[in-house]
């Protein structure tokens, strides 16, 4: 006879594997699957935020899909920023790096891909001169504002 605990463990494992597949996670351990799901939810929230913003401002549907998705998270070493767009975003990197400078964040690590799409992964650490820890939400809002500025700048150049 199978114990209740074993049944619960099997059910939990099945649900975690389902969560893993829904979020396209490649993680193998439970806590990493949950962390990936949390990041996925944040990305979805970001998409909703962008869509609501675009609906409120009356922007077109085709443009909605081109807005970059931003996730910002506080990690042990500082602030992890992930920015992704399905299209190329000429000049966006400069706007994002200005945010790092404005917030006194030093770039510790960064990976950028601009081939056909735009993808930035950056780890920023607070400058020791400021002495206080910066909130990930503030970084995200500042980056979103920079994306708006970049977008307006690109609209005027077209």
């Amino acid at each position: 006879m199978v114990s209740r605990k074993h049944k619960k463990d099997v059910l939990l494992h099945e649900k975690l594997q389902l969560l893993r597949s829904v979020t396209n996670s490649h993680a193998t351990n439970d806590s990493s699957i949950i962390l990936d799901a949390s990041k996925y939810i944040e990305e979805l929230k970001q998409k909703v935020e962008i869509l609501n913003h675009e609906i409120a401002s009356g922007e077109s549907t085709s443009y909605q899909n081109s807005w970059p998705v931003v996730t910002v998270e506080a990690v042990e070493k500082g602030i992890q920023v992930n920015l992704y767009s399905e299209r190329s975003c000429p000049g966006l990197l400069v706007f994002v790096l200005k945010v790092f400078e404005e917030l006194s964040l030093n770039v510790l690590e960064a990976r950028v891909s601009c081939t056909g799409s735009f993808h930035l992964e950056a780890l920023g650490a607070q400058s020791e001169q400021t002495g206080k820890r910066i909130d990930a939400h503030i970084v995200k809002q500042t980056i979103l504002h920079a994306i708006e500025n970049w977008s307006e700048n690109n609209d005027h150049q077209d």
Side-chain angles (χ1 to χ4, degrees), residues 110-125:
R111 280 183 290 250
V112 181
S113 173
C114 303
T115 310
S117 63
F118 180 85
H119 189 197
L120 166 69
E121 294 178 22
L123 176 62

Side-chain angles (χ1 to χ4, degrees), residues 4-158:
R4 274 186 141 168
K5 182 176 176 356
H6 181 70
K7 284 182 182 180
K8 284 182 180 180
D9 289 345
V10 168
L11 183 60
L12 178 62
H13 178 75
E14 288 173 358
K15 288 185 178 188
L16 282 169
Q17 293 309 309
L18 178 61
L19 183 61
R20 180 176 179 240
S21 67
V22 167
T23 60
N24 296 320
S25 172
H26 299 291
T28 55
N29 67 32
D30 294 353
S31 59
S32 294
I33 293 170
I34 293 170
L35 183 62
D36 286 349
S38 175
K39 288 179 184 178
Y40 182 74
I41 290 168
E42 285 302 314
E43 289 173 11
L44 291 175
K45 285 181 181 178
Q46 176 65 36
K47 287 180 181 179
V48 168
E49 209 174 287
I50 289 169
L51 291 173
N52 285 337
H53 170 75
E54 290 176 357
I55 289 169
S57 65
E59 296 173 6
S60 70
T61 307
S62 63
Y63 188 69
Q64 290 175 357
N65 295 331
S66 64
W67 264 71
V69 175
V70 180
T71 57
V72 178
E73 146 182 44
V75 294
E76 186 177 330
K77 292 182 180 181
I79 299 288
Q80 179 70 42
V81 175
N82 293 304
L83 201 144
Y84 176 77
S85 175
E86 292 179 3
R87 67 181 179 108
S88 178
C89 299
L92 181 57
L93 181 59
V94 173
F95 281 79
V96 174
L97 291 177
K98 283 181 182 177
V99 168
F100 275 73
E101 187 176 337
E102 289 170 9
L103 298 175
S104 299
L105 288 172
N106 295 323
V107 178
L108 300 178
E109 297 176 22
R111 280 183 290 250
V112 181
S113 173
C114 303
T115 310
S117 63
F118 180 85
H119 189 197
L120 166 69
E121 294 178 22
L123 176 62
Q126 191 81 41
S127 173
E128 293 179 13
Q129 297 169 349
T130 61
K132 59 182 180 179
R133 189 160 170 88
I134 193 157
D135 182 43
H137 182 71
I138 291 171
V139 175
K140 182 175 183 177
Q141 292 306 313
T142 309
I143 290 174
L144 289 172
H145 185 67
I147 291 170
E148 288 179 27
N149 290 340
W150 165 80
S151 176
E152 290 170 6
N153 191 37
N154 278 356
D155 288 346
H156 293 303
Q157 290 179 356
D158 293 342

